Amino acid sequence: MKVLVSACLLGENCKYSGGNNLDPRVAAWLRSRGHTPVPVCPEVLGGLPVPRTPAEIVDGAVTARDGRNVDAEFRRGAALALETARREGAGLAVLQPRSPSCGVREVYDGSFSDRKIPGMGVFARLLRENGFRVLEPEDLA
């Protein structure tokens, strides 16, 4: 089965800081089940650079810490990543926790103070609305 995976979880340096969120559990889980990863970074697909100013969801719109509205880029990237999931025939997605794109259960609260609230990132929500199962790495155990 093909599995859509946040590219940062596989070690791709696409995180806002220029780094990654490599999670060995994800690669091990994919290997142990013979799944094929389909790495995506909706933020990069949406045209945002690496590195970039951190962003959070503020009053329903994705906003960079410097106050710029980057909602269009996040939503464009989410739509393009959804197209990738469909084209590749992905059966599910494993996404980066707390991300304004990929968070499945919680996101940062929009105050840029490291506080988390229940919620979903724009890409995770779009996937779920389109019938995809979305997981975080801790769900793989």
Side-chain angles (χ1 to χ4, degrees):
M1 172 175 54
K2 290 186 177 181
V3 178
L4 201 69
V5 182
S6 294
C8 62
L9 291 173
L10 297 175
E12 188 174 319
N13 292 330
C14 56
K15 186 175 170 180
Y16 75 90
S17 64
N20 63 67
N21 294 313
L22 178 63
D23 191 325
R25 297 176 297 180
V26 175
W29 180 82
L30 290 164
R31 262 192 321 275
S32 73
R33 285 163 177 76
H35 296 321
T36 302
V38 179
V40 295
C41 178
E43 296 169 25
V44 171
L45 286 172
L48 294 170
V50 178
R52 58 189 166 276
T53 305
E56 295 184 4
I57 300 171
V58 179
D59 296 327
V62 185
T63 305
R65 185 173 51 205
D66 62 11
R68 277 180 309 113
N69 184 317
V70 290
D71 196 69
E73 291 90 336
F74 272 70
R75 294 189 190 278
R76 179 174 46 251
L80 291 169
L82 173 62
E83 286 179 23
T84 298
R86 288 178 171 153
R87 183 179 61 250
E88 293 292 328
L92 65 103
V94 179
L95 304 176
Q96 170 59 35
R98 299 173 303 281
S99 160
S101 287
C102 298
V104 173
R105 285 188 287 283
E106 64 181 8
V107 293
Y108 291 101
D109 73 353
S111 67
F112 296 94
S113 62
D114 290 327
R115 285 193 303 252
K116 295 173 271 307
I117 58 171
M120 295 185 85
V122 295
F123 179 49
R125 182 176 307 282
L126 184 63
L127 283 172
R128 185 166 286 160
E129 288 171 353
N130 282 273
F132 285 85
R133 184 172 172 214
V134 291
L135 305 173
E136 293 184 348
E138 67 186 33
D139 299 323
L140 303 178

